[in-house]
Amino acid sequence: MTRTIVASATREIIIGFDQPFCVIGERINPTGRKKLAAEMIEGNFDTVIKDALEQVAAGATMLDVNAGVTAVNPNETEPPLLVKTLEIVQGLVDVPLSIDSSVSAAIEAALKVAKGRPLVNSVTGEEEKLEAILPLCKKYDVPVVAISNDETGISMDPDVRFAVAKKIVERAMDHGIKPHDIVVDPLVMPIGALGDAGRQVFALLRRLREELKVNTTCGLSNISFGLPHRHGINAGFIPMVIGAGMTSAIMNPCRPQEMEAVRAANVLNGTDANCTNWIRTYRDHKPAEGGHAVAAAAAPAASGGRRGGRAARTGGAAASE
């Protein structure tokens, strides 16, 4: 069974087909968030701290950390800012982290200070990226998100996207990285612009699970881009992608409707044993005004990890406002 192990200094999580769905909190990302970008440039990390704590309290299994505040000289500006952001976040929370950057130098700088076994987000099928990122993943023994595009861009043909994913998996193996350490992003398209985007990704997920035997992820809210009441679409999408084989998603855990869908899918998929997490979270739920259910307290969406991180084994995507 394919299992991708990620860890903080004190906590280990397993991403896998037989594990609870892994919710990767998306909020620590200045893309599209001008206020957050300005704060980070000024050295103000109050919002980063708030977002980190709120996402974990809401049930995030992991947190994505991105510091891409500007397109101006990112090779110089992004590495120190990503390092600072990562150090702050890993000092606050005990969940594993995803190091999110398109700048290879920033990823390497962050890997040098990261505790545990973070997830690298990401590598693409572009030759330059393959040769820059895969050796780092091998050197630091960390898993990586493989995004299914290459020099030709993002193909609308799901067969092409599968071929790119297969190419990345094969190139990773050439570097000594096993498929269980590759988490493929098959690229979810907006359903409002591409009517068969849902069917495309469901078919891709089945192929990735059955043929490449890899774990998968996506930027969840891409599916609803441009549509009204996006959270309703997202919540409907979650159990469908989980049923098709997706094992994680970069998403906003602070949206109760979407987290309810994750937790319910875990129950129905058999990865919430005895409905324990569901009961813990919703035992005291009460109808709110408008008929929406609220929980007294949020519990983690996934409990597939265990305390101890690496010590237990060795004795040691765009955020939405």
Side-chain angles (χ1 to χ4, degrees), residues 255-295:
R255 301 292 185 185
Q257 185 177 9
E258 296 171 29
M259 289 300 289
E260 286 177 3
V262 169
R263 295 187 179 103
N266 286 339
V267 170
L268 298 172
N269 209 27
T271 56
D272 181 2
N274 302 313
C275 307
T276 301
N277 190 60
W278 181 270
I279 293 169
R280 182 188 304 123
T281 305
Y282 300 111
R283 177 189 293 114
D284 300 319
H285 85 285
K286 299 176 182 178
E289 291 184 11
H292 297 291
V294 295

Side-chain angles (χ1 to χ4, degrees), residues 51-315:
D51 283 344
L53 295 174
E54 286 184 350
Q55 289 184 105
V56 172
T61 319
M62 297 177 60
L63 295 182
D64 191 68
V65 179
N66 182 297
V69 296
T70 176
V72 179
N73 297 322
N75 288 319
E76 295 180 10
T77 60
E78 192 166 328
L81 187 57
L82 182 58
V83 166
K84 178 66 173 176
T85 308
L86 186 76
E87 289 179 327
I88 289 172
V89 175
Q90 69 184 4
L92 282 173
V93 299
D94 71 343
V95 298
L97 303 180
S98 168
I99 298 172
D100 184 356
S101 179
S102 60
V103 178
S104 302
I107 288 177
E108 182 167 20
L111 284 171
K112 290 178 179 178
V113 301
K115 297 178 181 178
R117 193 172 196 249
L119 176 66
V120 168
N121 185 11
S122 56
V123 67
T124 67
E126 299 166 277
E127 286 298 321
E128 181 181 355
K129 290 296 182 181
L130 290 168
E131 291 306 314
I133 301 301
L134 293 180
L136 290 177
C137 295
K138 177 61 178 177
K139 177 181 178 180
Y140 290 94
D141 185 28
V142 292
V144 62
V145 173
I147 299 181
S148 304
N149 69 278
D150 58 15
E151 290 87 351
T152 64
I154 300 173
S155 175
M156 294 297 104
D157 184 342
D159 290 336
V160 172
R161 301 208 299 277
F162 178 85
V164 174
K166 184 178 181 181
K167 168 188 171 182
I168 298 172
V169 171
E170 290 173 346
R171 291 291 292 276
M173 291 177 68
D174 290 342
H175 285 271
I177 302 168
K178 295 183 177 179
H180 65 246
D181 276 334
I182 307 295
V183 181
V184 172
D185 182 345
L187 292 171
V188 172
M189 304 299 175
I191 192 74
L194 186 66
D196 65 346
R199 292 192 299 272
Q200 276 194 9
V201 76
F202 303 148
L204 260 174
L205 288 168
R206 293 185 187 100
R207 289 192 69 188
L208 289 166
R209 175 174 179 164
E210 294 167 8
E211 297 180 38
L212 299 187
K213 296 178 172 55
V214 291
N215 282 308
T216 45
T217 196
C218 72
L220 184 85
S221 63
N222 289 351
I223 192 67
S224 62
F225 182 79
L227 293 176
H229 189 42
R230 295 183 64 184
H231 307 301
I233 296 289
N234 296 345
F237 186 55
I238 288 166
M240 297 185 76
V241 291
I242 293 175
M246 186 167 280
T247 49
S248 68
I250 300 170
M251 57 182 285
N252 186 351
C254 299
R255 301 292 185 185
Q257 185 177 9
E258 296 171 29
M259 289 300 289
E260 286 177 3
V262 169
R263 295 187 179 103
N266 286 339
V267 170
L268 298 172
N269 209 27
T271 56
D272 181 2
N274 302 313
C275 307
T276 301
N277 190 60
W278 181 270
I279 293 169
R280 182 188 304 123
T281 305
Y282 300 111
R283 177 189 293 114
D284 300 319
H285 85 285
K286 299 176 182 178
E289 291 184 11
H292 297 291
V294 295
S303 55
R306 58 182 182 274
R307 296 285 174 173
R310 301 186 77 177
R313 304 196 309 280
T314 62

